[in-house]
Amino acid sequence: MYTFSNRLRLFAIISFVLGAIMVAFSFMNTPGTVEEMKAMHAAHGDGHGSSHGDASHADDKTAHHSDHAETADHGEKSHDNAHGSADTHGKDGGHHMSQAEKDEHHLGQLKNKPWAAVYVAAFFFMMIALGVLAFYAIQRAAQAGWSPLLFRVMEGIGSYIIPGTIIMIILLVMSSLHWNHLFHWMEPSLQDPLSDNYDKLTVGKSAWLNETGFIIRAVIFSSIWIAYSVLSRRFSVKQDNASDNSNFKKNFRLSAIFLVLFLISESMMSWDWIMSLDHHWFSTLFGWYVFASMFVSGITVIALITIYLKSKGYLEQVNDSHLHDLAKFMFGISIFWTYLWFSQFMLIWYSNIPEEVTYFITRIDDYNLPFFGMLALNLIFPLLILMNSDYKRLNWVIVIAGIIILFGHYIDVFNMVMPATVGANWSLGLGEIGAVLLFLGLFIFVVFTALTKAPLLAKRNPFIEESKHFHY
Amino acid sequence: MSSKVIQAMYIDDDVLMSAVKKVRQENHHIEEVYTPFPVHGLDKAMGLAPTRLAITAFMYGCVGLGVAITMMYYIMIKDWPQNIGGKPSFSFLENMPAFVPIMFEMTVFFAAHLMVITFYLRSKLWPFKEAENPDPRTTDDHFLMEVAVQGNEEELKALLLETGATEIKVTEKPE
């Protein structure tokens, strides 16, 4: 049995409390009115350029970029209120915003900032647990012979899906109650034909994008994932003391069913929770893209926690070859993620259709470093570090590669959420770091508590002997 | 100049493996082992150095990437930067996404083909090459170990028989 070390528990609690304090500060530092915002800006100096200093920003671009901006502006007529992206194209060709409107808009983005920071971190940790559940289900459905030694680790991480999705649902409910403005399609005036904000495109999508359906779907997706995590864990623990393999078989069938439901629910979840932040934009392979991100993060966390537990002497039978396999998965799925990222980017870049391409223009203009930086973190580092077969057996190499990959995929989620919610006003500051610490603390606490609940070695699993002698 | 070798025949790969270990323990030099299929772990048991084919493949891949980049930079950006459907041909970086599929394929092409050719060269394989098989049965269901005779021939024969060899033949191998 694993015992939760006091030092780790203390670390989790400190991380949680410190994160909570930092998040609270970032909420308190948010300006409430335009006057406050201006006062704060004056105090700060013009340090972080406001999104509206864009005139020169846009003019600096090469001819190619202003081409984009111009074509984009045509499309913008119907996109006038695409928050976060509308005014970042700079060129005031399509429409003119009065200074008051601009200030209001800017204020809205600043108000979103702490919310978006919490949302990104909450989603990131939820997604790790979900990715691990998917990996676990695949191992069970494929009857993999190497991984049963790691099942308890995976089950432990998977157990975070319960608090993870509950927090996500709470955040989504808060958005639906208009406590924040993360999801612009929730703005009631967009649906009102008499309003200046009336937006035909949003109305056209309202059959899917409405608060009631949104919350109901979120609850359904979460129930599927939680049910699998709980039931599969139960069968797995029961198998330890069973006299036959019936629990193992049940788990096999359950995993196969879960994988089907998972792919459907995950795909729709990514439309709802991420893609609808940019509700004028759509992409077909988005669900896969989000899946690749969660899958590689999940596998990385399995590897990191396995290395940690082994270093504490809890997983004696886990050898280099198990780590080698995990590292191969980290390597392969990192490349898979890049493939999907590039497929999405290149198709849109190549055809350059205004209604699609605005998504990437905001990201390239306002998020240049995080947008392209994550390619280095998520592709080039893992590619070069994990290509060598010998390196995949060294703990410290996997730990370094794992930390880089996790940071890269945090930035990935950041890039998906922030441009739509805070526009050019992003930073990796108090709120963002605080939110990560908050959820990191919670994640460690939940996962390691779950690990203490059952023996780390799954006894009587039909493949456990093979797994113990696994050698590559 | 010729050297004397003993060819010991085995009919089971497990027996062969333990024989290889035994013979190496007794400090005899194994010239070659002929098997009808890959025997897992045989190279380790024989003490063969690990292959460096993967390293060459990596380098060939880098060459392929370089070729693709140079080619497209020269053709599309430097030599005749046309406006094709409004794609920016001002610099390589601006037009890079369109080149990535070719860069990828060239990397794979170079890595794969040059590695295969390297393999053929290193293992001396080509069409019309005369087969170097001491006994045709080793391509079907027999395993053959060739041990150089250095000292006492009879002692070595006894050792090989002890390890489970079913047939033993002493031949002169032309150098």
Side-chain angles (χ1 to χ4, degrees):
Chain A
M1 289 294 264
Y2 170 69
T3 44
F4 198 164
S5 87
N6 279 327
R7 277 173 62 194
L8 191 64
R9 182 181 287 134
L10 195 64
F11 172 78
I13 293 170
I14 290 173
S15 170
F16 182 84
V17 173
L18 190 66
I21 294 170
M22 286 164 81
V23 168
F25 260 109
S26 74
F27 271 100
M28 286 193 298
N29 277 337
T30 308
T33 61
V34 172
E35 285 69 42
E36 269 181 56
M37 176 179 82
K38 290 194 167 157
M40 281 169 85
H41 267 276
H44 275 280
D46 46 359
H48 50 106
S50 92
S51 62
H52 306 286
D54 261 355
S56 62
H57 180 64
D59 289 344
D60 282 347
K61 301 287 167 200
T62 59
H64 141 244
H65 257 124
S66 18
D67 275 353
H68 273 311
E70 262 158 15
T71 41
D73 271 339
H74 289 297
E76 282 296 311
K77 290 247 164 66
S78 57
H79 288 232
D80 267 356
N81 32 32
H83 63 144
S85 61
D87 61 340
T88 43
H89 306 298
K91 301 282 232 175
D92 276 338
H95 65 285
H96 292 274
M97 260 186 161
S98 72
Q99 189 56 42
E101 277 174 331
K102 281 185 182 172
D103 287 342
E104 199 57 44
H105 186 82
H106 189 189
L107 178 66
Q109 296 187 331
L110 289 182
K111 277 183 175 171
N112 267 341
K113 230 184 132 201
W115 285 102
V118 171
Y119 190 84
V120 170
F123 183 82
F124 178 67
F125 284 96
M126 188 284 295
M127 141 178 139
I128 289 175
L130 189 55
V132 170
L133 280 182
F135 187 72
Y136 175 72
I138 289 172
Q139 299 302 311
R140 285 216 173 260
Q143 307 205 346
W146 66 277
S147 52
L149 272 186
L150 305 172
F151 276 178
R152 285 292 143 81
V153 178
M154 297 184 208
E155 287 161 13
I157 304 169
S159 70
Y160 179 78
I161 199 73
I162 300 170
T165 49
I166 290 172
I167 291 166
M168 279 306 291
I169 292 174
I170 292 172
L171 285 172
L172 298 176
V173 169
M174 284 173 167
S175 293
S176 306
L177 295 173
H178 306 290
W179 292 15
N180 59 44
H181 199 83
L182 292 180
F183 296 89
H184 186 59
W185 57 265
M186 287 177 178
E187 173 67 41
S189 63
L190 297 182
Q191 311 271 352
D192 175 7
L194 300 175
S195 162
D196 284 347
N197 283 338
Y198 177 69
D199 180 32
K200 244 179 156 172
L201 292 177
T202 310
V203 175
K205 294 181 181 185
S206 59
W208 180 270
L209 286 182
N210 58 74
E211 283 93 335
T212 330
F214 187 68
I215 298 299
I216 292 174
R217 285 194 302 272
V219 170
I220 293 173
F221 304 151
S222 309
S223 326
I224 295 171
W225 307 334
I226 292 175
Y228 176 68
S229 126
V230 171
L231 285 177
S232 170
R233 166 79 166 190
R234 186 174 302 158
F235 291 143
S236 170
V237 174
K238 264 191 192 167
Q239 178 69 23
D240 276 4
N241 300 312
S243 49
D244 59 3
N245 288 335
S246 64
N247 289 299
F248 175 80
K249 287 178 190 160
K250 277 184 207 161
N251 228 343
F252 170 76
R253 274 182 231 122
L254 185 70
S255 302
I257 296 167
F258 170 73
L259 283 172
V260 175
L261 295 177
F262 166 78
L263 274 183
I264 300 169
S265 59
E266 187 274 335
S267 190
M268 294 204 275
M269 175 277 279
S270 70
W271 310 336
D272 271 3
W273 298 3
I274 304 284
M275 200 157 73
S276 85
L277 292 160
D278 287 281
H279 68 292
H280 280 161
W281 180 79
F282 43 84
S283 166
T284 333
L285 59 71
F286 198 75
W288 278 106
Y289 173 66
V290 174
F291 165 74
S293 205
M294 69 171 62
F295 204 47
V296 68
S297 315
I299 294 165
T300 306
V301 171
I302 297 173
L304 293 183
I305 293 186
T306 305
I307 288 173
Y308 171 78
L309 289 175
K310 191 170 162 57
S311 76
K312 297 284 167 196
Y314 287 106
L315 291 169
E316 280 153 30
Q317 279 148 323
V318 171
N319 58 34
D320 288 358
S321 297
H322 294 99
L323 284 175
H324 190 140
D325 265 28
L326 284 171
K328 272 191 277 190
F329 269 108
M330 284 160 65
F331 174 75
I333 309 295
S334 283
I335 291 169
F336 177 63
W337 173 88
T338 315
Y339 165 64
L340 292 176
W341 176 86
F342 183 72
S343 302
Q344 180 166 285
F345 173 74
M346 197 265 232
L347 286 189
I348 290 176
W349 173 87
Y350 210 109
S351 61
N352 203 13
I353 301 171
E355 58 199 77
E356 288 179 347
V357 85
T358 49
Y359 183 85
F360 287 113
I361 287 178
T362 45
R363 277 156 182 80
I364 291 171
D365 283 353
D366 298 334
Y367 290 75
N368 204 294
L369 181 65
F371 188 66
F372 291 112
M374 77 175 172
L375 273 186
L377 296 169
N378 292 345
L379 171 72
I380 298 173
F381 278 104
L383 182 81
L384 295 178
I385 296 174
L386 293 177
M387 191 184 296
N388 189 317
S389 185
D390 296 332
Y391 288 179
K392 285 197 274 259
R393 295 170 165 267
L394 297 175
N395 285 351
W396 63 273
V397 171
I398 301 177
V399 170
I400 289 172
I403 290 169
I404 290 170
I405 289 174
L406 285 179
F407 179 61
H409 285 278
Y410 171 78
I411 296 293
D412 185 21
V413 180
F414 188 86
N415 275 323
M416 290 193 268
V417 173
M418 288 296 179
T421 50
V422 305
N425 301 296
W426 66 276
S427 63
L428 277 173
L430 195 69
E432 286 77 9
I433 296 170
V436 170
L437 287 179
L438 174 86
F439 286 102
L440 179 70
L442 184 67
F443 183 82
I444 292 178
F445 194 83
V446 170
V447 169
F448 284 86
T449 307
L451 286 174
T452 60
K453 296 281 162 64
L456 286 181
L457 179 65
K459 276 172 285 180
R460 284 212 85 255
N461 183 308
F463 292 107
I464 199 75
E465 280 306 314
E466 182 179 342
S467 181
K468 280 179 196 169
H469 298 110
F470 174 66
H471 168 75
Y472 164 72
Chain B
M1 177 75 194
S2 69
S3 61
K4 236 181 187 177
V5 290
I6 296 190
Q7 295 177 335
M9 194 75 98
Y10 296 86
I11 51 168
D12 187 280
D13 50 339
D14 285 335
V15 178
L16 174 76
M17 281 289 281
S18 57
V20 166
K21 281 173 196 158
K22 186 87 189 274
V23 171
R24 287 222 338 136
Q25 242 169 33
E26 304 286 328
N27 281 326
H28 290 289
H29 177 67
I30 300 175
E31 296 264 305
E32 193 63 272
V33 176
Y34 297 86
T35 65
F37 53 78
V39 177
H40 188 77
L42 185 61
D43 52 341
K44 285 221 176 68
M46 287 173 69
L48 297 181
T51 172
R52 290 169 295 178
L53 212 51
I55 299 168
T56 66
F58 178 78
M59 294 192 291
Y60 296 146
C62 292
V63 171
L65 186 65
V67 167
I69 290 174
T70 320
M71 175 181 77
M72 281 177 301
Y73 171 70
Y74 179 71
I75 296 173
M76 302 299 290
I77 310 294
K78 196 148 186 302
D79 190 35
W80 195 2
Q82 295 179 93
N83 182 340
I84 303 169
K87 274 207 305 302
S89 50
F90 305 107
S91 74
F92 184 78
L93 212 56
E94 270 184 312
N95 209 355
M96 197 186 74
F99 302 149
V100 167
I102 299 154
M103 280 151 60
F104 173 79
E105 294 296 346
M106 291 284 265
T107 309
V108 174
F109 179 86
F110 272 66
H113 288 83
L114 293 181
M115 176 177 73
V116 167
I117 293 168
T118 308
F119 167 74
Y120 286 153
L121 292 176
R122 290 292 290 151
S123 30
K124 302 191 177 71
L125 284 175
W126 54 85
F128 312 113
K129 177 195 161 80
E130 203 175 325
E132 292 168 357
N133 201 319
D135 191 316
R137 286 174 298 168
T138 61
T139 62
D140 182 16
D141 60 349
H142 282 61
F143 304 84
L144 191 150
M145 175 161 54
E146 228 172 47
V147 187
V149 181
Q150 271 139 357
N152 192 329
E153 190 182 314
E154 290 309 312
E155 208 174 279
L156 182 55
K157 268 188 185 169
L159 175 71
L160 288 170
L161 280 173
E162 200 185 309
T163 59
T166 49
E167 260 178 67
I168 283 187
K169 202 164 75 182
V170 185
T171 50
E172 298 280 323
K173 249 207 158 172
E175 198 74 357

